[in-house]
Amino acid sequence: MRSRLATAIVGLVASLALSAAIYYATGWFVFFVAIPFLPLLFRGLRDRDAAETGDGPAMRACPECDFRTTDPDVRYCPRDGTALD
């Protein structure tokens, strides 16, 4: 959680500095507040890496077909209704 907070603070400072530089150079008021939210875009990559290393939720598979899921709420295969292993 600390690295995410640090990234957000650095992003906020960078966006304010970029906004000030654009205002100084062009006279246009542009306010970039979307930059601190970039870590949210890459959250899925970290979750996928955690699932591949075994740190994430357990993978459940259908014994009849190739259906696989990590969602703990899914207990049956949506294709044929077989209980997942």
Side-chain angles (χ1 to χ4, degrees):
M1 184 66 171
R2 288 174 39 149
S3 65
R4 194 177 296 170
L5 178 64
T7 304
I9 290 172
V10 168
L12 181 63
V13 170
S15 68
L16 291 174
L18 184 61
S19 298
I22 289 174
Y23 180 73
Y24 181 75
T26 64
W28 293 4
F29 181 71
V30 181
F31 194 62
F32 292 106
V33 295
I35 294 173
F37 298 106
L38 285 177
L40 298 177
L41 297 175
F42 299 109
R43 182 190 311 178
L45 295 175
R46 183 175 43 215
D47 293 344
R48 185 177 61 199
D49 291 341
E52 289 175 358
T53 60
D55 297 336
M59 177 72 70
R60 298 172 64 178
C62 176
E64 301 295 323
C65 65
D66 292 333
F67 176 75
R68 296 170 193 243
T69 184
T70 57
D71 186 2
D73 295 334
V74 177
R75 296 186 296 171
Y76 298 97
C77 177
R79 296 178 186 158
D80 56 11
T82 306
L84 301 178
D85 290 338

